[in-house]
Amino acid sequence: MQSLEFHNVTLNYDAPKRGEAGLLALENLDLVLDGGQSIAIIGPSGCGKSSTLQMAAGLLQPTSGSVTVDGEPIVRPRQSTALILQDFGLLPWKTVIKNAELGLKVRGIARDERRKRAREALALVGLAGFEDTYPDGLSGGMQQRLALARSLALDVDLLLMDEPLSALDALLREQLQDTLLELWKNEGYAQVLVTHSIEEAVYLGQRVYVLAPRPGHVVDVVENPHMGDKAYRGSDEFFALCTRIRSALHRTSSEAEGHGKVLPHA
Ligand code: ADP
Ligand code: MG
């Protein structure tokens, strides 16, 4: 993949019934991701983050504007894009290795090849030796690693992640962030990370899109050229960008609170 581009994208969800109003979920969204790059999208719930990923995955079409990969509109899911959801999407009745093979099976890859690629992917995320365990026997962090392995086994060039670490506690979350950073640096795919965490966005995104709701729109685009290693978390640049994003988010939430409200008389 050379590039994923959103140009002036508007997304309107249809009204549930005729005559009722539809919902404008996203307005004038412009977003660019070059091959091998990493971007993060942050914003409060309802600002259209998941909808954006669904469009990037080809599961949802924009109402107007365009979403393209290498200049072509994405009209259906691509073989070389993977989407990881918050709830992991694991099958509890299948072993770790079978779960890791799932995407390959869906793509019609032969059994031996499947096994080999799934084993390699499990090793990459630190789950070698757990092939015959069931997901129930794994911790939350390991389950998330398994979901990641399933996508890595597909050898994708675009990895889309919807709040993948939000179910994990803080320490585990940092470990997984390190894993995500290392894999992204070593494996060469482009990634879009949707997150609620400011630190996570700044640790993992070369560019951070800050969104606000009603309707979803971009309020800030923050370039983050110094990201890329563990030490970044302790640097002045890291803190400065976290502060900038925090204040952009606070502005959006006070905007939203003021929205449509009648101010009380003093
Ligand atoms: P986020 O992931 O940032 O929380 P979403 O993309 O899930 O935001 O949702 C954006 C807006 O669109 C929200 O107001 C949500 O209620 C609405 N929405 C999401 N999915 C649908 C749907 N399938 N039908 C109607 N409205 C939806
Ligand atoms: Mg969401």
Side-chain angles (χ1 to χ4, degrees), residues 9 12-13 17 32 38 47 57 62 72 76 82-83 104 106 118 135 164 167 178 202 209 214 221 241:
V9 165
N12 207 68
Y13 282 108
K17 288 190 198 139
V32 181
S38 174
C47 68
E72 297 291 324
R76 68 184 74 84
L83 174 62
L104 293 167
V106 169
D178 292 345
V202 177
Y209 290 82
R214 285 183 288 275
V221 179
L241 291 191

Side-chain angles (χ1 to χ4, degrees), residues 71-85:
E72 297 291 324
I74 316 172
V75 290
R76 68 184 74 84
R78 295 169 73 232
Q79 292 278 320
S80 38
T81 297
L83 174 62
I84 300 184
L85 302 174

